[in-house]
Amino acid sequence: MLLAPSADLVPNTLAYENQPLVKATGFREYDARWLFGPDINLLGVEALGMGLGTLIQQMGQTKIVVGHDFRSYSLSIKQALSLGLIQAGCEVLDIGLALSPIAYFAQFDLDAPCVAMVTASHNENGWTGVKMGAQRPLTFGPDEMGRLKDIVLGGGWELRPGGSLTHVAGVAERYVADVAAGVSLKRPLKVVCACGNGTAGAFAAEALRKMGVAVVYEMDCDLDWTFPRYNPNPEDQEMLHEMAAAVRQYGADCALGFDGDGDRCGVVDDEGEEIFADKIGLMLARDLSVLHKDATFVVDVKSTGLYATDEVLAANGAKTVYWKTGHSYIKRKTAELKALAGFEKSGHFFFNDPIGRGYDDGLVAAAAILAMLDRNPDKKLSDLKKALPVAYTSLTMSPHCPDEEKYGVVDKIVAEYEALRAEGGTILGRKIADLITVNGVRVALEDGSWVLVRASSNKPEIVVVVESTSSADDMRALFHNEVKPRLGKHPQVGGYNQEI
């Protein structure tokens, strides 16, 4: 039997080859992420599999779908994870190379309650991780992740006989057919399909064609795990700028970009302007609330404040609930409230019946966007965007902050804003109207503008978003004159990944 994992093994040593390495920081709020090599080794992944198998057995389950994304090391990690699951007595159904939503689809397709998708999502090369669930369509939240962490780090796994591994063919093909069946376009659309050489390149263009897209311009759809042009992350400026350039080059109706594991969708309109996912969500909510009266929508705290004041949603009886950022949180809240859809600013879209099965799926989101265009044949995507009330929302900006420090820093920022409000203080001349502290702190100002500071759930970073109701200059001022200097007073906070 393996020893309990250690946190201080060093690669290229005898101990590293014979003992599991698992650093505690890899257990995040709703999934697991490590740097493969310095933070976890293959024996550590095997230990993770034994711990996960033990946990799902304790939850009364044994059958589990496993898949892996397209990185040079993901297959070996999946095999190590599967070995651990088998030792814990689980029936492992290996669907091969997959997107996260293909693995989620497989839970329904193969009647398997559990899933373990090996993916680093949009993280840079070197990272690996696992997205897990035991109650379709939900994935683990903090409670399950806490239990898993305790089992794995304490060596508390329970090994059982009867484990098995079956390689299952055809799931990806059935997924593509299923996701394409949700829409049959009549409008002749030209769409750029951007995949950043990530896993989605194997599936997305085919799915768009099956949906009825007249012309699909493939952009970086060849699989290449070195990601030679940029990281497949449609929330980053580099990928968005390339998508915009392609729209202008081809005269396309839009560009749809998919992240490394295909559960997120980024959008650029016909004018080559990116539309952040919260604004796309508002456009979709407007469109869908006409078809589904009195619908409920869930959005994360990074999202625009326009949902709360939108006249179209109000006229259609729609209700919006702001909730914690994180795909697991929004997924769970969308299921709990039986909401029609949930939207997260990072590009996760969740659609319940009759549109989807409740899990985040970039291609289901793409289908919903294309169906919206099909229902509005006299309008371009840019027209639908311009019909929204004006709000100036920033990029998601993330200064580095160690995992061990980030939550403490955010707690101090929350306390600072609570004290500022209690004192009657102002931010750039405006009083604080409300503080939402369900996930970090969202500081709502009296004119409807707001700033958000929260800890990243899956990287050693703090997350910052600002929105102004008055101007782009004011949006930049909220960041440069308020949030950035406030965070800058804390020495644990480092450089930003991008800034407005």
Side-chain angles (χ1 to χ4, degrees), residues 32-363:
R33 304 276 176 95
W34 290 273
L35 281 168
F36 180 49
D39 293 347
I40 193 168
N41 62 4
L42 287 175
L43 289 174
V45 177
E46 183 180 339
L48 176 67
M50 291 191 292
L52 176 59
T54 298
L55 177 59
I56 66 173
Q57 291 274 9
Q58 292 173 357
M59 299 170 77
Q61 308 294 348
T62 60
K63 187 184 290 188
I64 184 167
V65 170
V66 298
H68 70 282
D69 68 4
F70 192 77
R71 296 179 188 250
S72 61
Y73 42 83
S74 291
L75 176 57
S76 62
I77 289 172
K78 182 184 69 175
Q79 290 172 330
L81 184 76
S82 297
L83 181 59
L85 289 165
I86 292 167
Q87 292 176 80
C90 294
E91 180 184 350
V92 179
L93 305 176
D94 187 343
I95 62 171
L97 181 73
L99 303 173
S100 289
I102 295 178
Y104 303 149
F105 167 80
Q107 291 177 268
F108 294 86
D109 184 60
L110 303 176
D111 192 23
C114 304
V115 66
M117 176 65 194
V118 172
T119 178
S121 187
H122 62 280
N123 284 26
E124 296 82 0
N125 265 327
W127 286 89
T128 190
V130 187
K131 292 181 177 179
M132 296 160 277
Q135 184 185 0
R136 62 191 179 202
L138 305 181
T139 42
F140 283 176
D143 290 345
E144 295 91 347
M145 290 305 300
R147 289 172 63 187
L148 178 63
K149 178 181 178 179
D150 290 343
I151 293 170
V152 174
L153 297 184
W157 43 74
E158 301 169 11
L159 306 188
R160 303 168 183 242
S164 65
L165 172 67
T166 304
H167 291 278
V168 182
V171 174
E173 290 79 6
R174 292 194 293 275
Y175 162 81
V176 169
D178 181 79
V179 77
V183 59
S184 181
L185 300 173
K186 300 177 183 64
R187 181 176 176 179
L189 295 170
K190 297 183 293 183
V191 176
V192 174
C193 175
C195 297
N197 302 110
T199 320
F203 311 102
E206 179 187 359
L208 294 178
R209 291 189 180 98
K210 286 183 178 293
M211 291 175 197
V213 175
V215 182
V216 177
Y217 300 103
E218 296 189 22
M219 189 179 100
D220 305 320
C221 289
D222 294 332
L223 298 182
D224 186 338
W225 56 42
T226 66
F227 305 145
R229 300 195 63 213
Y230 44 77
N231 205 45
N233 182 4
E235 198 178 13
D236 282 355
Q237 290 187 80
E238 192 170 6
M239 185 169 181
L240 287 167
H241 288 168
E242 293 298 324
M243 290 164 62
V247 166
R248 297 187 184 102
Q249 177 184 350
Y250 297 119
D253 293 290
C254 66
L256 301 172
F258 304 96
D259 73 332
D261 66 331
D263 60 3
R264 293 191 299 135
C265 180
V267 183
V268 170
D269 69 17
D270 51 283
E271 295 182 345
E273 298 294 329
E274 63 263 30
I275 310 177
F276 296 128
D278 56 341
K279 302 286 179 63
I280 282 287
L282 180 55
M283 292 157 63
L284 288 168
R286 282 182 153 202
D287 179 65
L288 293 170
S289 67
V290 174
L291 304 174
H292 307 273
K293 298 293 184 181
D294 303 321
T296 296
F297 299 97
V298 177
V299 298
D300 75 318
V301 294
K302 291 196 297 181
S303 295
T304 178
L306 293 175
Y307 287 91
T309 58
D310 189 72
E311 294 179 356
V312 174
L313 294 186
N316 292 328
K319 176 185 177 184
T320 302
V321 175
Y322 285 87
W323 195 240
K324 297 178 182 179
T325 291
H327 63 83
S328 180
Y329 295 126
I330 301 299
K331 193 181 309 183
R332 283 173 178 265
K333 200 66 174 178
T334 302
E336 174 192 327
L337 299 178
K338 295 180 172 58
L340 180 62
F343 308 119
E344 191 182 21
K345 192 172 187 289
S346 64
H348 291 274
F349 297 81
F350 309 86
F351 294 96
N352 279 326
D353 187 66
I355 303 167
R357 293 185 176 86
Y359 51 78
D360 38 343
D361 187 332
L363 281 167

Side-chain angles (χ1 to χ4, degrees), residues 408-471:
V409 170
V410 170
D411 286 344
K412 291 177 182 177
I413 296 295
V414 173
E416 289 175 20
Y417 279 122
E418 288 176 336
L420 183 63
R421 186 189 189 192
E423 296 163 0
T426 61
I427 292 176
L428 303 189
R430 283 157 286 186
K431 293 181 180 178
I432 297 174
D434 191 23
L435 295 176
I436 300 174
T437 56
V438 69
N439 189 201
V441 61
R442 177 168 166 143
V443 186
L445 306 181
E446 58 184 333
D447 67 342
S449 302
W450 53 270
V451 304
L452 171 78
V453 179
R454 57 174 290 272
S456 171
S457 301
N458 51 37
K459 294 180 78 174
E461 295 174 343
I462 289 172
V463 175
V464 175
V465 183
V466 300
E467 181 175 273
S468 170
T469 56
S470 60
S471 70

